[in-house]
Amino acid sequence: MWTVAPRVAVSSTMRPTGERTIRSTVASTTETTVETKTRPPAGARAREDDRERWHAGVRVDGDAAASAAAPRDWRESFSRATFIRANGGRFKVYSRGSFDDDLDGDEFETRAVLFMLHGCPYTALTWAPTVEEIARRAAEDGTSVAASVDAIAMDLRGHGESDGGLGDDRGDNGATFDPDVMALDAFETLGAFLTRSKRRVVVIGHSMGGAIAVRCAALIENANRESSSSYPAELAGLVLVDIVEGSALSALPAMGVLVDSRPSEFATLEDAMRWSSSRGGGTTNTRSASVSLPSQLRKVVAADGSSKYVWITDLRATAPFWTSWYRGLSGKFLAVKAPKLLLLAGNDRLDTELTIAQMQGRFQMTVCKAGHCVQEDDPDAVATTLENFVSRYVSRKRPTPPPFM
């Protein structure tokens, strides 16, 4: 969930060099689709150029922050946006990659899907900078691990452009932010989106999205244990980004104060950008905020013609569910059979259960020097971490592997 990001410069680590049906209580159908042919520029670039590309967006103050973070289009990162009906709701899904063709046996072994779930109150576009970086690397080197992965990110219910199916999707209905309901949303949305070949999927969740990810991963594993299941995905891995049960639960008493200190509205998008950059608004990187932050706001026009921007997700409405998001998270994470990665920001402490499991080698852990929203603060480092994970645990016939950190 949202926390104040530290006002520090960020750093990254070394980057790499390469007819199904879903059993559902509610029919899932694809609605509108938008596609684009844009792609990141190709060409060899030095490591320092890569760092400067993202770190040019590291926080600056005042008017410079607003001008540096003019809103960017999602098409710079994803190639397609569509709406999927699943679990009684309607969910916005962004994707990039090969989803319209059947994969043969060799491609199935080597090509994975990254299924990305955001935290609260972010949207799918919090993953846009990381997807953009992976796509750029794939364009530069067709034999890289980056070139062997596809990406899907969805707006969870009550966030972005998605509409939940149980009452008011903004949180007035008590079941709206229930993690089990949201996990079923993700499970059915993924199943409805993958309409061609069965795919190997790495489920990735940031903060609240991590609570959804572990439950979604368990649903996928359970579906594949059933011989009669036609679910079109096989769980290849699980990645949690900056969420640990013990740390999250201990931070909850202070969350009310942080939520109350957040502005409820902005006169302009520029004001929102300025707040994000200079007042600890969630990410330390203005370039990332320029694609992520606008998707968290909606414009409200009054009768007199005046307008303002307000948050799509009411954080106060999510408060009754905070404990349910994180209680028992460590056990659920460790119960997943697929390879697992815990990507942390800073020096978060592992709880006892995770500490013992790490000593037993039951999951991989990586630490990045960034704020809570790691994928926005340092998408270069997150892209490298995901490539390393895919190369080591997912690609059974590996393309050119990246150097491990």
Side-chain angles (χ1 to χ4, degrees), residues 105-372:
D106 183 65
E107 287 180 301
F108 175 77
E109 296 295 328
T110 59
R111 193 161 198 88
V113 173
L114 305 180
F115 183 41
M116 300 168 155
L117 305 176
H118 62 80
C120 180
Y122 301 95
T123 72
L125 294 184
T126 190
W127 298 106
T130 299
V131 172
E132 182 181 350
E133 178 61 21
I134 292 174
R136 186 190 63 77
R137 298 179 185 191
E140 288 185 357
D141 183 358
T143 66
S144 66
V145 175
S148 73
V149 296
D150 301 323
I152 304 171
M154 66 177 286
D155 288 346
L156 295 169
R157 67 171 57 215
H159 298 75
E161 298 183 47
S162 289
D163 300 316
L166 300 178
D168 185 347
D169 66 300
R170 301 303 172 217
D172 293 340
N173 181 289
T176 301
F177 295 103
D178 182 285
D180 292 314
V181 173
M182 297 176 80
L184 189 57
D185 292 342
F187 173 77
E188 293 195 358
T189 297
L190 176 65
F193 185 87
L194 298 176
T195 58
R196 305 291 295 189
S197 300
K198 191 179 184 77
R199 300 298 301 270
R200 305 179 69 231
V201 176
V202 177
V203 181
I204 305 167
H206 168 244
S207 197
M208 175 203 74
I212 310 307
V214 295
R215 291 167 169 83
C216 180
L219 289 173
I220 296 173
E221 286 194 328
N222 289 336
N224 280 281
R225 291 192 187 102
E226 301 175 6
S227 58
S228 60
S229 174
S230 59
Y231 191 73
E234 170 188 303
L235 186 68
L238 172 64
V239 179
L240 300 191
V241 180
D242 206 42
I243 186 62
V244 172
E245 177 184 351
S247 298
L249 290 175
S250 64
L252 291 186
M255 283 308 302
V257 176
L258 292 176
V259 169
D260 291 339
S261 67
R262 191 172 77 146
S264 60
E265 62 185 53
F266 302 95
T268 65
L269 272 179
E270 289 73 18
D271 287 346
M273 295 293 186
R274 188 177 295 108
W275 167 79
S276 177
S277 298
S278 61
R279 301 292 182 87
T283 180
T284 59
N285 195 313
T286 58
R287 189 172 188 276
S288 295
S290 66
V291 66
S292 173
L293 186 59
S295 69
Q296 300 171 42
L297 300 164
R298 68 174 180 267
K299 187 176 183 178
V300 178
V301 181
D304 62 1
S306 62
S307 62
K308 61 183 178 181
Y309 289 84
V310 300
W311 298 105
I312 290 175
T313 303
D314 181 0
L315 278 175
R316 295 171 184 83
T318 70
F321 300 92
W322 291 350
T323 299
S324 66
W325 289 347
Y326 305 121
R327 182 77 69 188
L329 181 63
S330 294
K332 289 181 174 65
F333 174 65
L334 296 174
V336 171
K337 304 300 182 185
K340 296 175 286 293
L341 167 68
L342 186 58
L343 172 58
L344 299 179
N347 297 311
D348 285 358
R349 296 179 179 178
L350 300 182
D351 52 42
T352 301
E353 190 172 9
L354 288 180
T355 299
I356 295 173
Q358 185 194 19
M359 294 174 65
Q360 296 172 336
R362 296 172 63 187
F363 65 92
Q364 179 186 352
M365 185 174 74
T366 300
V367 178
C368 291
K369 294 181 180 179
H372 175 59

Side-chain angles (χ1 to χ4, degrees), residues 54 129-130 133 285 288 374-384:
W54 286 108
T130 299
E133 178 61 21
N285 195 313
S288 295
V374 190
Q375 68 276 8
E376 293 190 27
D377 284 357
D378 200 342
D380 182 32
V382 174
T384 296

